[in-house]
Amino acid sequence: MIRSLLAALLACSVFSFGAAAQTPTGEAETAIRGALAKWTADFNARDTAYICDLFTPDLVYDYRGFPERGHADLCGLLLRSLADRTKQFTYALDIKEIIVSGDMAIVRLVWTLTTTLPGAATPVESKEPGLDVFRRQPDGHWRITRYIAYEAP
């Protein structure tokens, strides 16, 4: 009888712990998805007010074929691109997977960039698979601290 009771208590504690562990991960995934969706909407609307806020100040990114760059480089590129009214840029996001571990998360995703150039008959589309490493900030927001991306052939 005591063994049955101990087994039941152990099972309850395991299931309770598992449920508690799921909540922060689920909340993190929701927050990360929300941050990426907001960034995509802001980019597509050319709303530059918070376009650099998705990235930590110590960001390091590696895009195949280019040297490693940081936050200032990326923000400058984003702001210049969105200010160029001769081109229309649109990003679409396909999140493949989010893995959360504590205050870090890895997002496997594919960005699809559609660029419409003046006078072009059809837009140019590029698929950019990558890995984004998010870190939860002291303010509770999830931001990208590292990313690796490349243009798919």
Side-chain angles (χ1 to χ4, degrees), residues 59-73:
L59 170 75
V60 176
Y61 76 93
D62 186 359
Y63 191 90
R64 183 172 63 190
F66 294 93
E68 282 186 356
R69 295 182 178 168
H71 189 271
D73 299 316

Side-chain angles (χ1 to χ4, degrees), residues 22-89:
Q22 292 288 350
T23 302
T25 299
E27 290 172 6
E29 285 185 31
T30 299
I32 290 166
R33 285 179 187 279
L36 287 166
K38 181 184 181 326
W39 187 90
T40 304
D42 287 350
F43 182 91
N44 291 341
R46 292 184 185 255
D47 183 352
T48 59
Y50 301 104
I51 204 70
C52 296
D53 286 354
L54 181 61
F55 310 97
T56 63
D58 66 340
L59 170 75
V60 176
Y61 76 93
D62 186 359
Y63 191 90
R64 183 172 63 190
F66 294 93
E68 282 186 356
R69 295 182 178 168
H71 189 271
D73 299 316
L74 178 63
C75 284
L77 175 64
L78 287 169
L79 294 171
R80 282 189 308 278
S81 296
L82 293 174
D84 182 354
R85 298 295 180 172
T86 64
K87 299 174 187 162
Q88 176 64 42
F89 300 102

Side-chain angles (χ1 to χ4, degrees), residues 22 26 28 34 39 55 57 73 77 95 99 103 107 116 118 128 133 135:
Q22 292 288 350
W39 187 90
F55 310 97
D73 299 316
L77 175 64
I95 296 173
I99 301 170
D103 287 341
V107 180
T116 305
E128 303 167 0
V133 178
R135 184 172 57 221

Side-chain angles (χ1 to χ4, degrees), residues 85-144:
R85 298 295 180 172
T86 64
K87 299 174 187 162
Q88 176 64 42
F89 300 102
T90 306
Y91 261 123
L93 173 63
D94 180 14
I95 296 173
K96 300 293 187 183
E97 178 178 29
I98 298 176
I99 301 170
V100 178
S101 179
D103 287 341
M104 300 291 287
I106 298 171
V107 180
R108 190 169 58 88
L109 45 68
V110 177
W111 289 101
T112 301
L113 176 64
T114 303
T115 306
T116 305
L117 303 170
T122 58
V124 176
E125 184 177 281
S126 66
K127 297 228 180 252
E128 303 167 0
L131 285 175
D132 291 353
V133 178
F134 280 77
R135 184 172 57 221
R136 186 182 354 239
Q137 303 300 293
D139 66 3
H141 288 94
W142 286 88
R143 291 190 172 87
I144 297 172

